[in-house]
Amino acid sequence: VGTANTSSNVLDDYEEGTWTPTLSNETTAVYSNQTGWYRKIGNTVYIYFSVSLSDKGNISGSYTKIASLPFAGISGGSRFGSGQIHAYRLGSSKHIQGIEFGGSTTSVGWIMTGGGSTSGYLNTSFVADNTFFEGFAMYRTA
């Protein structure tokens, strides 16, 4: 049995709360649901999110990303987290496999695809007016 209050086992940073997830690369989308919660323990952040669109607005660009993370991820050009995501009513034959955090952008998670004819990042052209994303992830913050 270890000592209860040694520096190696004292919880020194714990926080939990809610956040409002968005999709990046858009400014006019209409959301019917934006729900998110997080738990931060030390430099590790656990998130859950649910985003439903009623109008995709002017979403553009090559990559669909979850944005407005509750904490910025660590920077430095390498991956700093991942997770699982589900999508419904996409305008493609692809289905969602995961979300990736990393690179030089610390404020978004790239939505990854699998199935269909190719795998990679989900292009914004596949997002429809009634697309729904739901997922959970873990990533590191500074």
Side-chain angles (χ1 to χ4, degrees), residues 30-136:
V30 177
Y31 296 91
S32 57
N33 175 50
Q34 292 173 276
T35 302
W37 62 259
Y38 70 88
R39 182 169 291 137
K40 180 178 177 284
I41 302 172
N43 68 352
T44 303
V45 182
Y46 303 89
I47 60 172
Y48 162 81
F49 56 90
S50 175
V51 175
S52 300
L53 295 173
S54 57
D55 185 334
K56 69 179 180 177
N58 66 350
I59 191 168
S60 63
S62 298
Y63 309 119
T64 306
K65 299 174 243 178
I66 295 296
S68 306
L69 298 176
F71 298 92
I74 59 173
S75 60
S78 62
R79 291 186 181 142
F80 60 88
S82 65
Q84 182 66 41
I85 189 168
H86 306 277
Y88 304 97
R89 297 182 291 275
L90 285 175
S92 79
S93 62
K94 300 183 184 320
H95 58 274
I96 298 302
Q97 290 184 330
I99 186 167
E100 173 188 270
F101 301 91
S104 60
T105 305
T106 61
S107 59
V108 298
W110 283 261
I111 299 175
M112 306 289 292
T113 64
S117 59
T118 61
S119 296
Y121 298 107
L122 181 69
N123 192 288
T124 57
S125 66
F126 297 138
V127 176
D129 284 334
N130 61 351
T131 297
F132 170 77
F133 296 102
E134 179 178 47
F136 59 90

